[in-house]
Amino acid sequence: MSERPLKPANLNPNKGKGEPFVLPPGITSARFAEFLQRCRAICGPDNVIVVEAEDHLMDGSYYEPNKTHDMHHIVDRNYFVCSATISPRAVPEVQDMMRLCNDFDVPVWPVSIGRNTGYGGAAPRVPGSIVLDLGKHMNRVLEVNAEDAYALVEPGVTFVGLYEHLQKHSLTEKVWIDVSSYPLSIHRI
C-alpha cells in the first residue's frame, strides 16, 4: 500500500505572481487579492508577505523562527501552510485586521515572538490561514508596577527585553523575573 502525501484541498493551482501557494478555505484568488489590498492599506505594504511557492517554506531557527508552516511536520511539509503573514504595528491595526478577516471570512492564526515551538509554534492549523504576527513590531514594555509586581507588555516582548527594561529603569532591586513559571511573572523583592 503506497502512501500519498497529504496536500491541502485549497492549493492555488492557477496562481499568478503575488498570489498565495495556498488560499484560505472558500476564498477565490480575486477575493484574496482584494483582501490583501486592504491588509496593505491597514498595516503597510512591507508588513504583508504572501507565501507564493513551496520553496518559500524555510524552517528558520530559534532566533528567527518560521511563521509560514509547520517546521515539525508529521504530515506533508506543505500541508499546514499559511497564505500570508501580516505584521500589525499597533493595537488599532490588530483590531482593523480582525474586522477585515471577519468581513472576508479568512481564518487567522495569531503568533507572538514565535519561539515556543515546543508548544506548537507558529504554523496555522487551517491551511491557507493568515498568520497575524503580533511580535514583529509590537515589542514594547508598556508598564512595570514594582509595588504590585506586574508588567504590562506587548506580545513581542521577550524575557531578555523585559530584563533589559528592568535594568534600564533601575527596577532590578525591586522586582525579579521568574522565567520558569508560565505565564511570565515578576515578583517583588
Side-chain angles (χ1 to χ4, degrees):
M1 175 163 86
S2 68
E3 289 186 30
R4 286 187 357 199
L6 186 59
K7 302 278 186 199
N10 43 336
L11 281 175
N12 192 0
N14 303 316
K15 69 176 231 54
K17 178 102 174 101
E19 292 183 29
F21 174 61
V22 179
L23 285 164
I27 306 292
T28 65
S29 288
R31 181 86 169 140
F32 194 68
E34 181 185 347
F35 172 78
L36 288 175
Q37 182 179 3
R38 303 228 348 239
C39 291
R40 290 180 181 107
I42 292 169
C43 296
D46 294 341
N47 293 312
V48 177
I49 300 170
V50 177
V51 179
E52 295 182 39
E54 190 168 359
D55 62 354
H56 290 176
L57 305 179
M58 304 295 175
D59 284 341
S61 69
Y62 177 79
Y63 294 104
E64 292 295 329
N66 104 76
K67 295 183 177 160
T68 59
H69 69 287
D70 189 350
M71 59 192 262
H72 304 296
H73 55 90
I74 56 172
V75 294
D76 199 39
R77 180 173 183 230
N78 67 5
Y79 186 76
F80 291 120
V81 71
C82 72
S83 55
T85 60
I86 301 171
S87 305
R89 297 165 289 196
V91 170
E93 289 183 5
V94 174
Q95 294 167 329
D96 289 345
M97 282 303 307
M98 292 309 299
R99 282 186 206 93
L100 183 66
C101 289
N102 282 329
D103 290 347
F104 278 76
D105 203 24
V106 170
V108 179
W109 187 261
V111 299
S112 60
I113 199 67
R115 293 187 184 151
N116 60 339
T117 61
Y119 298 112
R125 290 296 157 228
V126 175
S129 298
I130 61 136
V131 168
L132 201 60
D133 183 355
L134 302 174
K136 183 174 182 178
H137 299 294
M138 297 176 66
N139 54 16
R140 295 177 304 140
V141 176
L142 302 174
E143 176 187 358
V144 174
N145 184 312
E147 181 65 29
D148 293 329
Y150 71 84
L152 180 60
V153 300
E154 291 181 334
V157 173
T158 63
F159 287 113
V160 170
L162 180 56
Y163 178 72
E164 288 170 349
H165 179 88
L166 295 177
Q167 283 187 314
K168 180 179 176 182
H169 294 90
S170 303
L171 294 169
T172 54
E173 298 299 317
K174 297 176 183 176
V175 293
W176 56 275
I177 303 172
D178 185 356
V179 295
S180 62
S181 69
Y182 180 80
L184 168 68
S185 60
I186 63 174
H187 303 275
R188 256 189 330 206
I189 296 177

